Every structure is written in structure tokens, then in C-alpha cells.
């Protein structure tokens, strides 16, 4: 008789909580779009506005959530701020989810 392996149960609660918070921070079409756009490299807010077709205040609001969750980093360059992903693993999660949704 073959048994299906059970999922590991030894993950600390902190790890599961952190994973849940990451997924919650990504749980918005606009935030997924921002991560998708940043997966190709750093961008300024006006570039994200153009790429996503949403307002600047909306992009800024979602960037604030992503910054608070440490998914994106902001770096001031002259009069503008350039946003980048802090970890390419997040881009893989988002891009895989988008591909999966397109199947």
C-alpha cells in the first residue's frame, strides 16, 4: 500500500506567519503588477503609473504597503525615487502565479 507523504509539520509558527504576511502584502492586482514591473529592474513611480495604467496616488499607496513589507526598497535619485525589489524570490512567486493564472 502506497501512502501520500504528509506535508511537513515542523515549520515554526513564525515561519508560517511570515509567509502569510508576505502573501497578504502581495494580495492586490496593483501590487502584483508593481512586482511584475520591478522584476525587470528598478523603476520610477511615473514609469509604474504608465505601465499599470493607474493613478500616481494609487501606485504610491501600494508602494507604501510593499515598502512596509520589505518587498521593495526606495532609493532617492535627484528629485525622484527609484524602486527596486529587495529579493528576486518574490518576483519568481509573482511571475509563477501570473503564469499559472494564464493556463
Amino acid at each position: 500500500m502506497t501512502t501520500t507523504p504528509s506535508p511537513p509539520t515542523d515549520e515554526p509558527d513564525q515561519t508560517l506567519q511570515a509567509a502569510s504576511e508576505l502573501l497578504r502584502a502581495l494580495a492586490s492586482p496593483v501590487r502584483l503588477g508593481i512586482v511584475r514591473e520591478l522584476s525587470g529592474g528598478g523603476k520610477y513611480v511615473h514609469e509604474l503609473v504608465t505601465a499599470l495604467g493607474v493613478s500616481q496616488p494609487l501606485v504610491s499607496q501600494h508602494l507604501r504597503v510593499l515598502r512596509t513589507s520589505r518587498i521593495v526598497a526606495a532609493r532617492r535619485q535627484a528629485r525622484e525615487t527609484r524602486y527596486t525589489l529587495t529579493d528576486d524570490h518574490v518576483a519568481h512567486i509573482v511571475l509563477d502565479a501570473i503564469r499559472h493564472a494564464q493556463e
Side-chain angles (χ1 to χ4, degrees):
M1 184 166 140
T2 307
T3 60
T4 305
S6 60
T9 58
D10 59 344
E11 289 99 0
D13 287 340
Q14 284 181 324
T15 302
L16 295 176
Q17 183 65 33
S20 175
E21 289 171 12
L22 169 67
L23 293 174
R24 191 178 1 235
L26 294 172
S28 160
V30 173
R31 291 193 291 269
L32 290 175
I34 289 170
V35 172
R36 181 191 62 207
E37 293 302 317
L38 295 179
S39 71
K43 299 246 188 294
Y44 297 104
V45 173
H46 68 87
E47 294 174 311
L48 293 169
V49 166
T50 300
L52 299 171
V54 296
S55 70
Q56 184 273 324
L58 185 61
V59 169
S60 294
Q61 178 183 24
H62 286 288
L63 282 167
R64 185 172 35 256
V65 171
L66 294 171
R67 277 194 332 265
T68 301
S69 300
R70 291 181 271 204
I71 294 170
V72 301
R75 183 173 179 195
R76 191 90 172 145
Q77 293 182 333
R79 293 179 7 195
E80 292 189 281
T81 303
R82 188 169 178 85
Y83 292 89
T84 57
L85 293 175
T86 59
D87 186 347
D88 288 336
H89 289 102
V90 174
H92 291 290
I93 292 167
V94 169
L95 295 174
D96 285 347
I98 292 169
R99 279 192 289 274
H100 181 74
Q102 291 171 334
E103 294 178 351

